[in-house]
């Protein structure tokens, strides 16, 4: 059964700092790995999608990497801003369950 | 484009009552799904559909029914509400299931409390 874990559960950083969010998954037979952002009381917004054949994807200040062999993905946020404060979730698509399985998220607070 | 629209936003039910959460998308997406989000549990897939007339179970389907009579609509029915179904429910859609570069769009959520 695919299990997705995100560490840390919460993170607080000062504005301007570079940071890394971690995501690990137990079944490496995934189709893709996705990162989402969720603001309080809102739905999820897709940030980056990495296909299983890719190593990384970039969008603006965000860079996501994927290492299937070790079952890990990271989301790198450069020069963090207070507007980046949100919960970030990763989701692994595929594996034995053949479903999109979500982690529990990392709650990020960027202090001005 | 309205994207993915969920109604109602908030609902309080009594144990044993039934209700339907509505989900509609105007992007001609083939794939639609329902998730519930609970503290410490993340999002869990309830049911999904890869096209009109086709539905399948997710991780936690018990107590819920779905149908997909049109491409646009994917309602979620609670048959006999239980306190364990108190949760936030999200509907999501994407153009196709697992196509390359497939962005998933989520609705704003429906907060359901069962007393």
């Amino acid at each position: 059964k695919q299990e997705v874990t995100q560490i840390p559960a919460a993170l607080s950083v000062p504005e301007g700092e570079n940071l890394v969010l971690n995501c690990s998954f137990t079944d490496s037979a995934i189709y893709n790995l996705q990162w989402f952002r969720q603001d309080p009381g809102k739905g999820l917004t897709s940030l980056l999608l990495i296909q299983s054949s890719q190593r990384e994807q970039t969008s603006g200040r965000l860079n996501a990497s994927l290492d299937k062999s070790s079952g890990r993905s990271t989301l790198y946020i450069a020069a963090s801003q207070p507007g980046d404060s949100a919960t970030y979730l990763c989701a692994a698509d595929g594996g034995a369950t053949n479903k999109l399985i979500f982690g529990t998220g990392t709650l990020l607070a960027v202090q001005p | 484009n309205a994207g993915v629209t969920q109604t109602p936003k908030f609902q309080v039910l009594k144990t044993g009552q039934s209700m339907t959460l509505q989900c509609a998308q105007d992007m001609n997406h083939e794939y639609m799904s329902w998730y519930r989000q609970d503290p410490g549990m993340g999002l869990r897939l309830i049911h999904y559909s890869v096209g009109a007339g086709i539905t399948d179970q997710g991780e936690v389907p018990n107590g819920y029914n779905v149908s997909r009579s049109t491409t646009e609509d994917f309602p979620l029915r609670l048959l006999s509400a239980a306190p364990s179904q108190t949760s936030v429910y999200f509907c999501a859609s994407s153009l196709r299931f697992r196509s390359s570069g497939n962005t998933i769009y989520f609705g704003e959520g429906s907060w359901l409390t069962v007393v």
Side-chain angles (χ1 to χ4, degrees):
Chain A
K1 177 185 175 183
Q2 178 74 280
E3 293 183 3
V4 180
T5 305
Q6 292 187 247
I7 295 173
L11 181 63
S12 180
V13 300
E15 181 177 2
E17 194 163 292
N18 302 326
L19 60 100
V20 174
L21 306 180
N22 297 296
C23 172
S24 61
F25 48 94
T26 55
D27 188 340
S28 62
I30 61 171
Y31 188 81
N32 61 56
L33 191 289
Q34 304 186 47
W35 284 92
F36 297 85
R37 168 184 174 140
Q38 185 177 26
D39 294 294
K42 299 291 187 180
L44 282 70
T45 301
S46 178
L47 296 174
L48 290 165
L49 182 152
I50 312 174
Q51 300 286 352
S52 62
S53 58
Q54 298 173 321
R55 300 282 288 188
E56 64 179 286
Q57 282 286 337
T58 298
S59 176
R61 295 182 293 108
L62 305 180
N63 176 276
S65 67
L66 175 64
D67 184 345
K68 283 180 54 180
S69 62
S70 66
R72 290 183 177 181
S73 177
T74 62
L75 179 67
Y76 175 83
I77 302 177
S80 58
Q81 303 170 358
D84 295 329
S85 298
T87 297
Y88 291 81
L89 298 100
C90 67
D93 187 4
T97 59
N98 206 35
K99 304 288 191 298
L100 185 66
I101 304 297
F102 282 83
T104 52
T106 294
L107 176 61
L108 173 65
V110 181
Q111 309 297 333
Chain B
N1 274 350
V4 179
T5 303
Q6 289 182 234
T7 56
K9 180 87 170 179
F10 300 99
Q11 183 72 48
V12 178
L13 282 179
K14 293 182 179 179
T15 297
Q17 286 185 319
S18 62
M19 77 157 298
T20 299
L21 299 178
Q22 302 290 345
C23 176
Q25 51 88 12
D26 60 359
M27 298 173 282
N28 202 31
H29 285 175
E30 292 182 355
Y31 181 76
M32 297 185 74
S33 55
W34 276 102
Y35 289 87
R36 58 177 289 173
Q37 186 174 35
D38 302 290
M41 304 281 294
L43 275 83
R44 293 179 292 170
L45 181 65
I46 304 171
H47 285 286
Y48 67 98
S49 168
V50 298
I54 306 170
T55 63
D56 205 349
Q57 296 182 350
E59 301 173 81
V60 288
N62 292 341
Y64 307 94
N65 271 356
V66 292
S67 60
R68 186 93 180 271
S69 57
T70 67
T71 300
E72 295 78 18
D73 300 300
F74 191 46
L76 178 72
R77 297 182 187 84
L78 280 71
L79 308 174
S80 177
S84 61
Q85 293 179 302
T86 294
S87 187
V88 184
Y89 292 84
F90 288 99
C91 180
S93 74
S94 60
L95 185 59
R96 290 179 192 84
F97 186 50
R98 293 189 175 153
S99 64
S100 175
N102 206 24
T103 298
I104 297 176
Y105 296 85
F106 280 80
E108 295 276 284
S110 295
W111 273 253
L112 177 66
T113 301
V114 182
V115 297

